[in-house]
Amino acid sequence: MIIKLHIVNRIMNLHAPEWSGEVRSITYSADGKSVSVIYRVTLYGTDAEIYRESTGTASVDDPGYGDPVQKAEAMAFRRACARFGLGLHLYHEDML
């Protein structure tokens, strides 16, 4: 199950209102058939900040909604948030 981008964004705003996100790099494959994005999510605390990065990859030929960079960025954003623990329960529902 994939959490939609707008839901992840809403959860971040609710539980960690002092957060930011940024695209660190956009790289096309050598054959031009896919694009990969590295995304960083940073949480700011009172005395420190922490970040997690992750990657997302999308096919250039995928006919779905949005361009390939947007799709790869959304995937990388969700994965970076998962590195903070967001949504991990969805992968282990059988263990609850």
Side-chain angles (χ1 to χ4, degrees):
M1 171 179 271
I2 296 175
I3 302 176
K4 294 185 179 189
L5 176 72
H6 72 278
I7 293 173
V8 174
N9 199 332
R10 184 182 305 158
I11 292 169
M12 292 295 288
N13 288 336
L14 179 64
H15 295 288
E18 296 295 323
W19 74 275
S20 68
E22 65 177 304
V23 172
R24 303 289 288 170
S25 73
I26 300 171
T27 307
Y28 285 87
S29 63
D31 61 7
K33 293 185 177 182
S34 66
V35 61
S36 295
V37 171
I38 298 175
Y39 197 88
R40 175 183 284 187
V41 173
T42 304
L43 302 181
Y44 301 94
T46 55
D47 57 349
E49 62 184 56
I50 57 172
Y51 67 87
R52 300 290 185 265
E53 290 183 349
S54 195
T55 60
T57 302
S59 171
V60 172
D61 298 327
D62 186 0
Y65 179 77
D67 69 58
V69 174
Q70 288 175 324
K71 292 176 190 175
E73 180 180 343
M75 179 187 294
F77 169 66
R78 290 189 307 262
R79 288 178 172 177
C81 290
R83 289 183 173 214
F84 283 114
L86 185 80
L88 292 182
H89 66 285
L90 297 172
Y91 296 99
H92 302 288
E93 288 180 345
D94 59 328
M95 297 177 71
L96 295 177

